[in-house]
Amino acid sequence: MKHTYVHNVRQMLRRNGLSPKYEYPGIYCIKLNERVVYIGKSLNMLERIAEHYVGINTGSERKYRIIWEVS
């Protein structure tokens, strides 16, 4: 089975001990320079964090390109 970039990031987050804390539903925000720039919700926070991480680092969508340019 070929692993995706998101899968690899999710595994990295698990290895860093974030799995027990974030593999639950929740509401989250992304902050840049102490300002909230994005608010979202997810059924699995760890999965969503991994997706955002990949999106920001690859610029896969307009919202991620904007966040990357500001950061």
Side-chain angles (χ1 to χ4, degrees):
M1 178 173 113
K2 183 178 177 184
H3 292 279
T4 65
Y5 189 17
V6 172
H7 173 82
N8 293 337
V9 170
R10 186 174 56 245
Q11 291 303 101
M12 184 252 326
L13 293 171
R14 283 188 178 128
R15 283 192 304 274
N16 288 333
L18 296 176
S19 184
K21 188 174 182 180
Y22 292 107
E23 284 195 299
Y24 295 100
I27 298 171
Y28 62 93
C29 68
I30 296 174
K31 292 173 68 175
L32 293 173
N33 301 324
E34 300 303 317
R35 294 188 67 188
V36 174
V37 296
Y38 187 84
I39 298 173
K41 63 181 178 177
S42 178
L43 295 176
N44 184 321
M45 296 294 290
L46 191 76
E47 177 75 20
R48 194 64 181 126
I49 290 168
E51 290 170 356
H52 280 307
Y53 179 87
V54 170
I56 290 169
N57 285 306
T58 62
S60 62
E61 295 177 33
R62 184 175 181 270
K63 67 182 172 187
Y64 295 129
R65 287 190 297 274
I66 292 168
I67 291 171
W68 183 83
E69 289 172 6
V70 172
S71 59

